Amino acid sequence: MYSLRFPNSSSSLLELDSDPMCHFGNYFSDPDRCLYPEIDYLIEASDAHVYSDWINNRKSGRFHRPLSLDLYVPNSRSSCFYCHLNQFIPTDHSTEKYSNYLLREIRLQGQLFKGDSKVEQIYFGGGSPAFLNDSQLNTLTQEIKRNFNLVEGGNFCVEIDAGQLIDCSMYALNEMGFNCAIVGVQDFDQQARHSKQCIQSEEANIQIICNIRRAGFKSVRVELSYGLPGQNLDKFACTLDKIIAANPNQVKFLNYQHLIERFKPIRNNIFTGLPATETRFEMTLLAISRLTEAGYSHIGMNLFARYDDPLAVAQRQGRLHYGLRGFSIYPDCDHVAFGVSGIGCIGPTLHQNHCDLLQYYDKLEQNILPILRGLELNADDLLRRSIMYALICHLVISYDSVEAFFPIDFKQYFVTELTDLQAYAEAGLVTLDNEEIAVTSKGQLFINDICRIFDKYLRKHH
């Protein structure tokens, strides 16, 4: 055992296991931070007109990258205390209405991208896409195929919630073209479920995983929440063992974030019993051990994949990529966002759709893309993002490699950052020399914190 003090923190000492198996992705901060700059720094002056200009730049040949289509559906849980997404209680009318406006947006975007690159990836999630019925989902997928050129054998992923699947079977989803699925799991223990609206039975989740396999999907990922109210190490271990027994291709851990303050009508119904920091850390160590023993590789950022999974293969071959939707085997794509609050990127720009359903609908009624805000990244933003993503993917950044693409002297440009990283080096999280920054196995626990050293926006606000 050894003691480690959090760099730049007044937190008390935490005993960490020195076992080399300690490879778990950043536990203490948000494990899904895929966006730089973060969404709060987007500005409303960057609207649909600016977005259209960048698509024209793309079509004129200024840059040309594959496309990824990201479709977002509001979360249908009425009182889910961990979800950051838009939420509403679905009815036949509301789901049909939302589906119809998605169709409008697909057509508008399709007109802008007519004759453009092939689509290598589709991600259908963000909330609860499976509450749409078979007919609605099929209509949406057919509209996508009419308006975009889909690559044969691309990665077409859909989120599945066993507790909210309506009347759309896994076979039907596979027939529509989906070949990858994500299944969200909170906990199989009744006492650790943080919302009556989020109840998931062990039988339903395991059955969904089996159905996905039987339907012909090439990959299934289980996203397992940890640190839930009422959850302890034994309960977590029980759920984890059952997930491993189901043999998913990937397992991702989501650090539970308690957001009850967002729900004013039920603010008094406050849950207690959140596991202590030490207990959460023990959960990560247990997960590392069990998953590694079961044949999973640690990809990073709380994501594990079976040894033969394409992500694990790409990691071993040094061709792993990281972007808006996390790890990928595809080079950086332009992401076209559909749906309320959807986030996309075209070239060096970021954009987000309206987060309010009524405003989202109103823009589409006017045949205007419902883009609320955006940002054009400057050279410094692109430089810093490339460094962060390289550290996340490969755990090392060579000064020469950066200088080959950007006209800077690395050590001079980042003199402040390198000084701040000394605390991490002293803690054994990184190694620094005259040629590179390398993240240690223990440092993977704090990869987000290490990356934040290069975040100029956070630096300005501290």
Side-chain angles (χ1 to χ4, degrees), residues 1-158:
M1 300 287 288
Y2 63 89
S3 294
L4 174 66
R5 183 178 295 278
F6 297 108
N8 302 323
S9 171
S10 59
S11 300
S12 60
L13 290 172
L14 177 67
E15 296 291 316
L16 301 184
D17 197 326
S18 59
D19 191 313
M21 297 283 288
C22 189
H23 287 281
F24 199 67
N26 184 20
Y27 165 71
F28 295 98
S29 49
D30 182 6
D32 296 307
R33 186 172 175 268
C34 304
L35 195 65
Y36 181 81
E38 293 182 354
I39 198 69
D40 290 343
Y41 298 103
L42 273 58
I43 58 176
E44 294 190 12
S46 184
D47 56 12
H49 297 292
V50 177
Y51 175 78
S52 298
D53 289 341
W54 274 103
I55 293 177
N56 290 332
N57 289 337
R58 170 191 166 91
K59 295 177 75 172
S60 68
R62 285 185 56 184
F63 58 93
H64 207 64
R65 301 189 294 190
L67 287 177
S68 173
L69 308 184
D70 299 359
L71 292 90
Y72 293 77
V73 176
N75 198 311
S76 61
R77 296 183 174 113
S78 59
S79 300
C80 186
F81 303 114
Y82 72 92
C83 187
H84 297 258
L85 302 164
N86 298 69
Q87 301 187 17
F88 73 103
I89 301 173
T91 64
D92 289 344
H93 173 71
S94 65
T95 57
E96 184 68 25
K97 181 177 182 179
Y98 189 77
S99 176
N100 286 336
Y101 278 100
L102 268 181
L103 288 171
R104 290 190 182 206
E105 190 178 6
I106 290 169
R107 295 183 192 116
L108 284 175
Q109 293 276 19
Q111 292 171 13
L112 290 175
F113 285 93
K114 189 173 183 180
D116 206 329
S117 297
K118 294 182 178 179
V119 173
E120 291 186 341
Q121 301 178 87
I122 295 176
Y123 169 78
F124 203 143
S128 306
F131 80 74
L132 299 175
N133 62 39
D134 192 342
S135 176
Q136 291 164 345
L137 280 169
N138 187 57
T139 300
L140 287 169
T141 55
Q142 292 304 316
E143 194 65 33
I144 289 171
K145 292 174 184 177
R146 278 191 290 269
N147 285 273
F148 293 91
N149 185 14
L150 275 56
V151 169
E152 183 74 23
N155 186 278
F156 304 141
C157 182
V158 61

Side-chain angles (χ1 to χ4, degrees), residues 58 78 206 269 280 300 317 352:
R58 170 191 166 91
S78 59
I206 299 302
N269 184 23
R280 292 188 181 208
Q317 296 176 347
Q352 183 184 33

Side-chain angles (χ1 to χ4, degrees), residues 318-438:
R319 54 182 182 83
L320 190 63
H321 298 275
Y322 192 82
L324 190 63
R325 294 235 49 82
F327 291 102
S328 173
I329 62 172
Y330 299 96
D332 199 19
C333 291
D334 282 335
H335 290 258
V336 185
F338 303 87
V340 65
S341 76
I343 300 171
C345 62
I346 301 295
T349 68
L350 294 170
H351 55 273
Q352 183 184 33
N353 280 352
H354 277 279
C355 301
D356 179 83
L357 271 174
L358 294 180
Q359 293 184 56
Y360 172 77
Y361 292 155
D362 180 65
K363 290 294 183 183
L364 289 171
E365 284 284 354
Q366 302 174 55
N367 287 320
I368 299 173
L369 288 175
I371 294 175
L372 169 64
R373 54 185 177 171
L375 184 69
E376 180 179 341
L377 277 62
N378 59 34
D380 181 75
D381 294 328
L382 297 172
L383 166 61
R384 292 172 182 275
R385 186 176 69 178
S386 69
I387 291 171
M388 294 178 194
Y389 287 1
L391 288 172
I392 290 169
C393 272
H394 310 297
L395 302 178
V396 63
I397 187 75
S398 161
Y399 304 157
D400 286 345
S401 66
V402 175
E403 291 169 356
F405 288 94
F406 296 91
I408 66 165
D409 179 308
F410 190 98
K411 288 184 287 186
Q412 181 178 349
Y413 195 94
F414 290 112
V415 62
T416 302
E417 287 78 4
L418 290 172
T419 299
D420 290 346
L421 281 173
Q422 287 295 332
Y424 290 79
E426 293 169 6
L429 304 182
V430 300
T431 61
L432 303 172
D433 58 31
N434 288 324
E435 297 181 352
E436 65 181 22
I437 301 167

